[in-house]
Amino acid sequence: MPNHDADPDGAGSRLKKGTSKGRPVVGIPCCMKQIGLHPFHIAGDKYIRAVADGAGALPFLIPALGDDYDWDEVLDRLDGILLTGSPSNVEPAHYQGPESDAGTLHDPARDATTLPLIRAAIDRGLPLLGICRGFQEINVALGGTLHQKVHEIPSRLDHRADDTQTADIQYGLAHRVSVAANGLLEKLFTEPQPLVNSVHSQGVDRLAPGLSIEATAPDGQIEAFRSVTTPGFVLAVQWHPEWRYWESPESTALFRHFGEVVRTARDRRPL
């Protein structure tokens, strides 16, 4: 069960005592998905609940409308952003990569939304937490590149999950990560080599300038990074801490810390 104690403002819709600002608002960009005859803007329930219960924040879904946005107008309403995972991959044209293999799932509307959103949020100093595709998006938005198929690189592990299995098995613990010394995750985690799940085929190739490695897989694949050159909080992980986050001390600590960061951003925002 989710740990509602992770929300020091009080879970649900209760307001923080002594302020009229209420819970911090965390934007969650949507994917564009065709369901039957119609396109839908969607975000996974597990991310929304991790924001609401794990971070004690109010989730605010951002449709994948791309260039239709005035980003200042959007960011004026937010205290932080969570970039989710997705079945789709960032299109390689955004990082000058080779064309994807036939059948690779892409989401141009999401790319057109998240990549400028990331840059605008970083310029403003708005807190960012990236997960899986969100981890890859931050790297691309800041000038890094991706491996499209990590499992085809010699000496690298197969980081994909078996999509014929149940979600419990797909998101089960798969390998350890080595947490970097003197980093943020070292301060948040009690375990220097925690077990994490592994549900991805893409991964970081060249890390973007200004990003520092926070954790690596046993094969050397980068599994977490943070920004060391931007004014605001920017942290991203390749694994999926949102999956039953309350069962993992590391995931619980990660979302609790994100909640603290966005509450600080909320408190600094003018009424």
Side-chain angles (χ1 to χ4, degrees), residues 25-252:
V25 180
V26 172
I28 303 175
C30 293
C31 298
M32 178 74 82
K33 182 175 177 62
Q34 189 80 17
I35 303 176
L37 298 177
H38 304 286
F40 285 76
H41 299 266
I42 62 172
D45 178 77
K46 57 195 172 87
Y47 302 103
I48 295 169
R49 293 186 183 275
V51 166
D53 296 324
L58 182 66
F60 182 93
L61 300 190
I62 303 172
L65 299 178
D67 292 341
D68 287 355
Y69 284 115
D70 174 338
W71 288 117
D72 285 334
E73 182 181 25
V74 174
L75 297 178
D76 282 346
R77 292 161 166 79
L78 301 178
D79 303 305
I81 294 169
L82 175 75
L83 298 153
T84 72
S86 170
S88 68
N89 291 334
V90 178
E91 289 202 78
H94 292 294
Y95 54 90
Q96 292 75 55
E99 187 174 346
S100 299
D101 288 348
T104 300
L105 182 61
H106 292 300
D107 187 344
R110 171 159 171 162
D111 289 347
T113 303
T114 55
L115 298 179
L117 171 61
I118 289 165
R119 298 180 188 111
I122 287 176
D123 286 346
R124 184 178 285 223
L126 202 69
L128 282 174
L129 176 61
I131 295 173
C132 198
R133 192 193 208 271
F135 164 91
Q136 297 158 10
E137 287 169 336
I138 293 173
N139 189 53
V140 170
L142 297 181
T145 63
L146 302 177
H147 295 300
Q148 294 188 39
K149 295 184 176 181
V150 173
H151 54 280
E152 293 185 354
I153 300 171
S155 78
R156 295 293 167 91
L157 299 172
D158 188 342
H159 289 263
R160 298 172 298 173
D162 184 349
D163 60 10
T164 67
Q165 299 295 326
T166 65
D168 284 347
I169 294 176
Q170 289 186 43
Y171 286 87
L173 299 176
H175 62 72
R176 294 190 181 275
V177 294
S178 296
V179 175
N182 303 314
L184 176 58
L185 293 185
E186 184 184 51
K187 297 175 183 176
L188 296 180
F189 296 172
T190 57
E191 169 62 58
Q193 291 189 315
L195 279 163
V196 301
N197 49 36
S198 189
V199 192
H200 65 102
S201 59
Q202 289 201 135
V204 167
D205 177 10
R206 187 183 72 249
L207 195 64
L211 298 180
S212 176
I213 296 172
E214 282 280 328
T216 54
D219 60 358
Q221 186 63 39
I222 298 171
E223 289 275 331
F225 59 69
R226 66 183 170 96
S227 173
V228 293
T229 59
T230 54
F233 171 91
V234 180
L235 177 69
V237 299
Q238 180 64 83
W239 67 90
H240 284 267
E242 83 289 348
W243 175 256
R244 296 184 176 175
Y245 70 88
W246 59 89
E247 295 180 352
S248 163
E250 289 78 25
S251 297
T252 300

